[in-house]
Amino acid sequence: MTVHGIDVASYQSGDYSTSGLDFVFVKATEGSSYANPKHAAQVATARAHGLVVGHYHFARPGSMSAQADYFLAHAGAKAGDVLAFDWEDTGVPGADKDAWLRHVQAKAPEHRVVLYCNRDFWLHRDSTSFCADGLWIADPSAPEGHPRVEHPWLFHQYSSAGGLDRNVGNFAGPGTLRTWAGRGAAPHYEPFPGAGWFTVGRRSPIVAAMHERLVAVGCNHYTSTANKDVIGSGDVASYEAWQRKYNTDHHKGWTGSALKWPPGRETWDALHVPNV
């Protein structure tokens, strides 16, 4: 397993480190009256770094349909996002857990829906083994990727050290996770056109899409948005900033020409330029 992630709530920063991460679950709502004030910023950080996004609802006793509708209204989920039910309150029975999951599956059939709970809830409070599209199990006493449950699982929350919940996904790699989250649909990103394609003065909608992604990942070295579909000095400076950022975040140890223009396949694929 090579897929790692974290889950965050309002007590984490909106601009957290995404180094080494493939996915992030962000708390969206709790009960039927609380919405995480940092949800939008925390989701934006994940999207800017090309991570798979999950939104979760912390359940409280009460109407499950009302809580599900409140969650869906505030999550603002996009295609490929995962939706999760956080079952920790002892006042929420297993039947209500099932009701929420089924309600969200019916209302948002385009999304994967998963159950989050700890090992005690799964083994001693659950009676149906229903977890919609998969189980996200919290078992910090178990080694990473080896939760102490017999049921198949998708995500394992294995540590809360330092106040940050860390998770591992039971997927072969980031691409497998993204395909699963998108219900089998392959992500539509521009394939690497080859280093020789990146010549100053080239005009293409791909260049404009690259411009937007470089700005989104925090590597904006542009002085103007005019003619953003034409490769210019701003593209060169911004892409080199992205290569330096990628190098640092992924501990590549690149130096010299490896950090210079033109783009290479690895950093291009990681930039996730949308297909145009």
Side-chain angles (χ1 to χ4, degrees):
M1 293 173 293
T2 58
V3 179
H4 291 84
I6 59 174
D7 53 276
V8 296
S10 61
Y11 51 86
Q12 267 94 29
S13 168
D15 184 21
Y16 47 88
S17 172
T18 61
S19 177
L21 302 182
D22 303 295
F23 64 91
V24 175
F25 280 96
V26 181
K27 182 175 183 177
T29 53
E30 180 174 328
S32 57
S33 61
Y34 172 83
N36 172 14
K38 295 182 181 178
H39 175 262
Q42 291 170 332
V43 167
T45 294
R47 294 202 196 286
H49 291 84
L51 309 185
V52 170
V53 173
H55 312 264
Y56 74 87
H57 172 74
F58 191 103
R60 292 298 190 186
S63 168
M64 288 298 108
S65 60
Q67 291 189 48
D69 289 341
Y70 183 75
F71 166 73
L72 290 172
H74 286 80
K78 296 185 178 181
D81 289 358
V82 182
L83 310 178
F85 181 77
D86 185 345
W87 188 30
E88 298 183 55
D89 191 316
T90 58
V92 178
D96 281 3
K97 172 265 293 183
D98 290 359
W100 190 98
L101 291 170
R102 295 190 189 281
H103 186 93
V104 172
Q105 282 187 307
K107 286 290 189 74
E110 69 277 19
H111 292 283
R112 294 288 187 180
V113 182
V114 301
L115 167 68
Y116 168 91
C117 66
N118 62 35
R119 185 169 175 267
D120 175 66
F121 269 63
W122 183 249
L123 297 179
H124 304 123
R125 296 182 184 275
D126 179 76
S127 60
T128 65
S129 295
F130 179 65
C131 52
D133 290 309
L135 177 63
W136 175 13
I137 188 73
D139 187 6
S141 297
E144 175 186 339
H146 298 279
R148 295 167 297 165
V149 293
E150 295 183 2
H151 192 279
W153 57 274
L154 290 177
F155 302 98
H156 173 206
Q157 187 188 83
Y158 64 87
S159 173
S160 297
L164 183 63
D165 294 331
R166 298 190 179 279
N167 301 265
V168 63
N170 196 8
F171 298 88
T176 306
L177 167 61
R178 192 173 296 278
T179 298
W180 171 83
R183 289 197 166 276
H188 299 294
Y189 300 130
E190 283 293 338
F192 182 58
W197 186 87
F198 295 95
T199 58
V200 172
R202 179 181 295 278
R203 184 184 297 273
S204 169
I206 297 174
V207 179
M210 177 185 72
H211 176 122
E212 295 293 339
R213 285 297 299 147
L214 289 169
V215 172
V217 298
C219 296
N220 183 2
H221 285 250
Y222 294 99
T223 59
S224 171
T225 58
N227 298 316
K228 67 179 183 180
D229 60 341
V230 178
I231 295 178
S233 59
D235 297 291
V236 174
S238 297
Y239 204 96
E240 289 185 346
W242 161 242
Q243 296 198 133
R244 293 192 298 271
K245 177 178 174 58
Y246 183 88
N247 179 51
T248 300
D249 288 349
H250 293 82
H251 310 291
K252 290 294 181 177
W254 295 338
T255 60
S257 62
L259 299 173
K260 298 295 185 180
W261 182 271
R265 178 182 295 276
E266 182 172 347
T267 56
W268 178 264
D269 289 345
L271 185 58
H272 293 157
V273 176
N275 186 276
V276 294

